Amino acid sequence: MSILTRNTRSTRTRSSGTSRRGIRGNQNAAGWLFTAPVIVILGLFLVLPVLMAAWVSVSDWTGRGSPFAGGTQFVGARNFEAILAGGGLAERDFGTALRNNLYYVVLVVPLQTVMALFLAMLVNNRILKGRGFFRTAFYFPSVTSTVAVTVLWLFLFNATGAVNKFLSLFGIIGPNWFQEPAGIFHLLARNVGITDAPAALGSQTLLGVTWWDWLSGPSVAMTAFILMAIFTTSGTFMLLFIAALQNLQGELEEAAMLDGAGVWQRFWYVTLPMLRPTLFTVITLGLIGTWQVFDQIYTGTEGGPAKTTMTPAYLSFSTAFNNQQWGQGAAIAFLLFGIIVIFTLIQRLLLRERVNVPRRKRMNPEPSRGRKL
Amino acid sequence: MTALISDTPTTASPASPLPAKGRRKRQGRFIWLAYVVLVSLAVVYIFPFLINLATSFKTEPDAASDPLSLVPATWSTAAYERLFLNSDFPLWFGNSVVVTIFVTCGRVFFCLLAGYALARIPFRGRAVIFAAIVAVMAVPGVVLLIPKFLVINQLGLYDSYAGMIIPLMADAAGVFIMKNFFESIPASVEEQARIDGAGTFRTFWSVVLPMSMPAVMTIVILSFQGSWNELSHFVISAQSPELTTITKGVAQLSSGALSAGTQYPLKLAAAAIMTIPVAIVFFIFQKKIMNSTAGALKE
């Protein structure tokens, strides 16, 4: 987003015509006419929907007829209350979905960023041959549809699937991935003999979920989706890092090399600080993307097993479309939007603290965006 | 690779033999290691797709008993026959083709117009529109599922091609790519045309459009990929079986709509076919896609 705030320069196209006002008027008309289709469509299908959903989220609309018809009542914050403090199923489902997605975000964002950077550093190495081939191989999963990859993943990770077959070569008995609701932290705890919730953690709840369950970690099923996310997105972010690396010229690195800096030192003290703007972009996009898990869940698990792959995005959808609780569905969508905004702001704050890059540079972390076309 | 390694001792400078030699040697080892890592990672990234393809030609027992092998024990095209002769799959494919073509044409045209206006025409209100588009880009798509359904339903577009196509025709990110492109090319050619007496529209059609083919191709590729792979919008904008697109159809197939049992060869055949169009576009325009990373982000 921050990429886009630069540029307000081109006001130079002013022709030398005699009747300046005429040309001006003409240009105003042309400008509005040219942008009209985009404005109309975005307004109709992005801005208006948000307003309508805002109304639905505070109404008791049941999905029949128009939400503006007489039968629909204003219910105030009741839908939000049911989700955040209702004490019932709606609250517990939202809490569970939030937990699932939180683990997904916390694991996927760092892992995909590190993986993408690692791939980019490898592929960008000038001494290596066949870099084009490897770049293609790593990027290909990013262009295929989530639906196709999910179908493939369901096959690879089924009880007798390719992954477990591969693990069995090393004598490991793999789990029944997409049927296994146990959280991986719980499984680890079980290994050291803790099978039940300690009293302190089992009795207190937050959003209808006990603290013990908040600490479960992602379920085994969710872990399979986490691996899939890394598989499908690392290629895209790798390209962003490659573009940034190619803009670095390598002079500084050579200087550091002459000064006797090792591979690690060069990476840690020279390359990484210069990649900070790109890192910022990748983490921001990662945070925004990982809170929007929908396609995989719709195609693969529909929230199961035991709701451990339920995400707020899918919960919002199924609450509205399957259970006809439109007000609650819309309310969840707004809460999700709020979560994404908050996370992005927190990340901005954290990364900005230590930044020493000139302001101008930070404003356009990816200067090659339009020029390379 | 071997050349690089064997090369090292001879080129070491005699003035400072020891440190240079040590470093080169280390570099040789590094290269070797880098190739091992690269190749094993490439296998991890490619192998799943090979399994996908191989399994789609297997019989069901074979797929279950030997999921790792890349060569079917007995070749079978039963999955493909079933898909094309005994299911709605051709219909889904056709729907996706129709939607993709319309969305792509619309996006290219509208993004071109808006991008050009925002970059080149100094009209009143430009800054406001620009800011509004920035704001719109920041709204995450999944959050809009229910809201979009509400409007599509209210406008009477639910369960129609119009409802599936029109909302996807404008793309804020595409407008940006276009705007940036126009700002990167000099305005002198257009000014020339302007001086020769061509109006705004005339300049746009006969001067600007031919010049902007590279950026147009970028938008074509991105919106092709985007609309072919789109799922959530089609889930909320239509429900009748005649309007099912390939993503929605395969997603429903995956959750067991067409079949009893696992039917892995069938599902994987469907997944393979739906990957083919994007794969073809990808391999033809590879270089371009890799360079225009900005819009190729998956959600």
Side-chain angles (χ1 to χ4, degrees), chain B residues 255-276:
Chain B
S255 42
L258 197 71
S259 56
T262 54
Q263 303 256 31
Y264 283 120
L266 183 76
K267 293 172 185 171
L268 290 171
I273 293 171
M274 74 189 287
T275 308
I276 289 172

Side-chain angles (χ1 to χ4, degrees), chain A residues 52 55-56 59 61 64-73, chain B residues 150 153-154:
Chain A
M52 261 182 96
W55 159 245
V56 169
S59 78
W61 189 53
R64 294 217 182 138
S66 162
F68 300 113
T72 309
Q73 301 289 321
Chain B
L150 295 173
N153 197 26
Q154 188 79 21

Side-chain angles (χ1 to χ4, degrees), chain A residues 28 93 110 149 157 256 292 307 310 319-320 328 337 373:
Chain A
N28 276 338
D93 279 354
V149 179
F157 283 82
Q292 303 193 57
K307 293 185 179 169
M310 180 68 81
T319 306
Q328 280 186 18
F337 187 30
L373 297 171

Side-chain angles (χ1 to χ4, degrees), chain A residues 180-197:
Chain A
E180 180 56 67
I184 55 174
F185 293 166
H186 276 183
L187 287 177
L188 286 177
R190 208 177 288 172
N191 272 350
V192 293
I194 308 169
T195 47
D196 285 316

Side-chain angles (χ1 to χ4, degrees), chain B residues 163-234:
Chain B
M164 291 160 70
I165 292 168
I166 296 171
L168 293 179
M169 281 224 247
D171 172 38
V175 174
F176 273 110
I177 292 175
M178 240 34 232
K179 178 178 177 287
N180 278 351
F181 173 78
F182 283 124
E183 278 165 358
S184 74
I185 58 172
S188 53
V189 185
E190 299 157 58
E191 274 159 13
Q192 200 67 47
R194 205 59 77 69
I195 290 165
D196 288 348
T200 308
F201 294 95
R202 184 68 203 282
T203 316
F204 180 77
W205 276 115
S206 34
V207 179
V208 176
L209 207 57
M211 273 197 308
S212 51
M213 281 330 273
V216 168
M217 280 318 296
T218 305
I219 308 272
V220 168
I221 293 163
L222 292 181
S223 64
F224 174 82
Q225 267 178 20
S227 43
W228 186 266
N229 291 342
E230 174 69 46
L231 169 68
S232 54
H233 177 70
F234 302 139

